[in-house]
Amino acid sequence: MGIKRGTTLAAVAVVVALTATACGGDDKAGNAKPAGAASVAPASGAGDYGSDYGSGSADASGGADGAGAKAAGQLAVAQNEQLGSLLTDNAGFTLYRFDKDTAKPPKSNCDGDCAKAWPAVPAGEATAAAGMDPALLGEVVRTDGSKQLTVAGWPVYRFAKDTKAGETNGQGVGGTWFAFAPDGKKAAKAAAAPAGAGQATGALTVAKDPKLGEHIVDGNGMTVYRFKKDTAWPMASNCTGDCVAKWPVVPPVDKANAKGIVEKGYSVLDRPDGKKQQAIDCWPVYTFTGDKKAGDINGQGVGGTWYAVSPDGKLITTS
């Protein structure tokens, strides 16, 4: 199955006054467009499969438009305030997994009334979300002979009581139904950083890529990015909330551990969310959750606003 790259960034402006730093210039702050995150509704349902999926406009095929019978199309990764990154279909409907199924080998144990409340997502016509390993997608043959989409071996479902994009009414139903994370695991927001986090740690070095040439990577070899909507003066990050969940900030790195990188404007941004962020040439820098291993450059050019960083702190716009 193919993979198409794409992402939606949710961002709000964060402007932080610069103190005791040499950062300066004419850069103007861009306008970041905020996007509301999906909300998590209280789980409801009788038994393990939530057989009280309700009447209203949702029918047995799932959702107001019978979305359960529709192929997933281009999958997407949505950001949710309570759950972090979760997987949706091309219409924005949350995708779920069932604890009573098995992944090795793939097998669905949701039939009959269960399948009415939790319509199976058909296999075929599904492509991986941006930054997601396409090898995670597969299929399983159900007891009725139909083929169901799987992610990391787990059969994929929608929930009949999710009647519009972004709803997560199926989360936690019966203690057995959970939204998918992009890696096929259960969606769960990462734990907050422990007290004292943000101290200068790790390393920054320079790597060479056939397409990008020399670019900055962190101590794990993960590509470092800049956001065009940020500014260097006043030093500001326009990536917060859902955006920063997808584009984690690079924590402070001691200058002695920044090999081959420009020293001008090498500083630390104190963010209003309490995090400390490394800045290079006065620009805040990030990594990308869509990069799964050292050397990945999946964030390059995303949205026309995210680019790898050269050793002198400049954007690398080559794709």
Side-chain angles (χ1 to χ4, degrees):
M1 298 184 182
I3 177 168
K4 300 178 184 176
R5 305 210 180 278
T7 187
T8 301
L9 299 175
V12 293
V14 177
V15 180
V16 180
L18 199 61
T19 59
T21 168
C23 295
D26 312 317
D27 305 286
K28 295 181 180 178
N31 293 319
K33 200 174 203 178
S39 58
V40 175
S44 63
D48 289 330
Y49 56 81
S51 58
D52 64 335
Y53 59 89
S55 52
S57 59
D59 59 27
S61 60
D65 297 316
K70 296 178 182 177
Q74 170 73 60
L75 303 187
V77 177
Q79 297 299 319
N80 180 278
E81 187 176 350
Q82 284 76 36
L83 302 178
S85 298
L86 54 82
L87 207 56
T88 74
D89 64 14
N90 62 348
F93 281 82
T94 302
L95 301 178
Y96 298 92
R97 48 175 278 181
F98 184 31
D99 275 0
K100 293 193 174 181
D101 288 347
T102 59
K104 295 180 180 180
K107 185 178 187 302
S108 169
N109 289 306
C110 179
D111 295 296
D113 289 343
C114 174
K116 292 177 182 178
W118 301 90
V121 176
E125 302 302 322
T127 53
M132 177 185 177
D133 183 356
L136 291 174
L137 302 187
E139 61 184 37
V140 63
V141 178
R142 295 175 55 80
T143 55
D144 62 5
S146 63
K147 292 183 178 180
Q148 181 176 4
L149 178 67
T150 62
V151 174
W154 291 97
V156 181
Y157 307 84
R158 297 183 181 92
F159 184 42
K161 292 190 80 171
D162 284 348
T163 57
K164 61 179 183 288
E167 291 188 335
T168 55
N169 297 315
Q171 177 67 14
V173 167
T176 54
W177 290 94
F178 299 94
F180 268 105
D183 59 1
K185 297 179 181 178
K186 300 173 187 177
K189 197 166 186 178
Q199 300 297 321
T201 58
L204 291 173
T205 57
V206 177
K208 193 164 186 178
D209 179 83
K211 292 182 179 178
L212 303 183
E214 290 191 336
H215 65 289
I216 299 173
V217 298
D218 69 9
N220 296 315
M222 306 304 288
T223 301
V224 169
Y225 299 92
R226 267 180 46 189
F227 186 33
K228 287 182 72 174
K229 292 184 179 180
D230 288 349
T231 59
W233 181 259
M235 188 161 59
S237 168
N238 283 307
C239 180
T240 63
D242 292 343
C243 173
V244 83
K246 185 172 288 187
W247 300 88
V249 304
V250 173
V253 175
D254 193 279
K255 266 187 186 179
N257 294 326
K259 306 295 185 182
I261 296 167
V262 65
E263 292 189 12
K264 173 181 172 286
Y266 193 88
S267 51
V268 174
L269 172 66
D270 289 313
R271 299 169 56 90
D273 59 11
K275 295 177 181 177
K276 293 181 181 291
Q277 182 173 11
Q278 185 62 55
I280 298 173
D281 194 23
C282 300
W283 291 92
V285 290
Y286 311 79
T287 53
F288 180 44
T289 57
D291 287 344
K292 302 303 181 184
K293 63 183 184 300
D296 280 354
I297 54 171
N298 298 319
Q300 178 68 5
V302 167
T305 55
W306 290 94
Y307 294 95
V309 186
S310 68
D312 62 359
K314 307 300 182 187
L315 294 176
I316 300 173
T317 55
T318 304
S319 58

